[in-house]
Amino acid sequence: MLDRSVYRRKIRWVAWLGAAVVASAAALAIWSVIATQHHLRQAKTANGLLAEHLQLSVRSYRLFKQLTDEVLLGTLANQAVARNKQAAIDESLARIRYLELKQRDELGPVPGAVEDTDELEALIAEVVANFEALHELPPGEERASRVSGILEDQIDISFRDAVNTALERQQGVVTRMDHQIGAVHTQLVGVSTALLILALVGAFAANRLLERGIARPLASLYEAARALGRGELHHRVPRGFDAEFEEMAVAFNSMAEQLSEKEASREETRRELEAAVEERTAALQEANATLQRSDAARRHFFADVSHELRTPLTVIRGEAQVALRATKRSEDDYREALDAILDQAVGLSRLVDDMLFVARSDARTIRLNRRTVEPGQLSEDVFQALRHKAEPRGVGLQCTVDDGPGHFLSADPDRVRQLLMILLDNALRYSPAGSNIQVRWQHADEQWHLRVEDRGPGIDPQDLPHIFDRFFRGTSEDDSSGGGMGLGLAVAKAIVQAHGGDIQAESTAGVGTVLHATFPISTDTSL
């Protein structure tokens, strides 16, 4: 049931709004009358004081003219007139003092007002006294000269400046009062305009208040009912209407909330089931892919091991069988067979060591015997071991190390020699006769940079990303090239990574190959 008191309250609000506008207009009218009267009173005082200053100036000049005639003409002057003018001047001064005090009460202190009046009165008295003193002199040129001096120095200069100063000051006060009156009128116009705008806004607000109290709530309820009918369960009736519609809105929104919660629960259950199925499916796919990769790696590993072990084992078995089957063989023949068996056994041992090293690298169980070493000395040791391969082919081995005291390599020297041996042996295998292999150690960006550069035929671009893979052989390699078993560069990569560095390869067909490894710099100078 609707509460009719709500509508009566709305009507009272509209009535109070109209009364407030009328009261504001009345207050504005009263304020404008009071402000205008106040400023007119101040303007009247200021104009009266200005008129008194003008009157004083006129009376003083007439008195000075009368005194001048009296001094120059003697008895021809009318002294009664002079006394009357003096009395009028005194009256003007008294009137000026009265108005200045009144103006001070109304406007506040005006700089120099009362003080200038006292100085002006003293100046008039001084001029009159000087004229009276001239009566003691006999008529003649001296008296005329004294009169001329009074007229020029005291009246034309001092008195005129004092009077002009007082007039200018008072004229400024009058001008200021005129500006204040104009400002009051401007304010009155502005406030009146604001009041008019406020009245229009109030009327609009009253209209909106009634519209919001009835039309909008009904429209909101109608739109909410249609939305629920379309299945839009998230739609709600806006809150904040009057009390007669509040309970209806609460009940409607509660019904919609219950429907929405049931729908959301059903949707959440469906999403959870889908997510669980997707998660299990992804886990199974990942596990299957992992198993496939592991199986492929295992099969590839055993195939590579079988391939690499088959040749040396075949050679060992063949040499042993030949040596055992022969009825008559010399000692040199047996020694040659044993040398071949030993050579293949050493190769097998090296292959097993490399495979174990790579496996430890994968398991992160490599142990390094770090020491502070000089890169140049390590390079020279490897050069000595490889010169028997390089000199017969005329291949030069060159090493340069950046000068820089305090920068040493903290590493396992045996592993670094093994790294250099692998990189240089690989470079020697493909370097043409008469070329040079450059080994360069540089320190920059808190790292040692090792560069091994050859002038070989280069690496096929399709093979370059895989040269550090274990058992990888390039498409251009064959038996005539003296290729290894495909573990050398994989071991080199494991050595560098075990020291906390990285290794990369750059190659240009027909120009050569550069292998670039990095190691952290050690600042320890103890050797």
Side-chain angles (χ1 to χ4, degrees), residues 491-504:
V491 173
K493 181 178 180 180
I495 292 172
V496 174
Q497 290 181 342
H499 284 81
D502 192 17
I503 187 169
Q504 296 177 351

Side-chain angles (χ1 to χ4, degrees), residues 97 100-101 104 110-119 169:
R97 284 193 176 89
E100 285 177 344
L101 294 175
R104 176 174 293 183
V110 178
V114 178
E115 295 80 2
D116 291 349
T117 302
D118 294 339
E119 294 178 3
R169 182 188 65 247

Side-chain angles (χ1 to χ4, degrees), residues 180-194:
Q180 289 180 353
I181 293 173
V184 170
H185 290 165
T186 302
Q187 292 176 0
L188 181 60
V189 173
V191 174
S192 300
T193 303

Side-chain angles (χ1 to χ4, degrees), residues 393-418:
R393 298 174 56 197
V395 177
L397 300 176
Q398 299 177 354
C399 178
T400 58
V401 182
D402 277 2
D403 294 332
H407 294 282
F408 296 88
L409 179 62
S410 176
D412 186 330
D414 294 333
R415 292 301 181 186
V416 176
R417 289 191 188 94
Q418 182 182 6

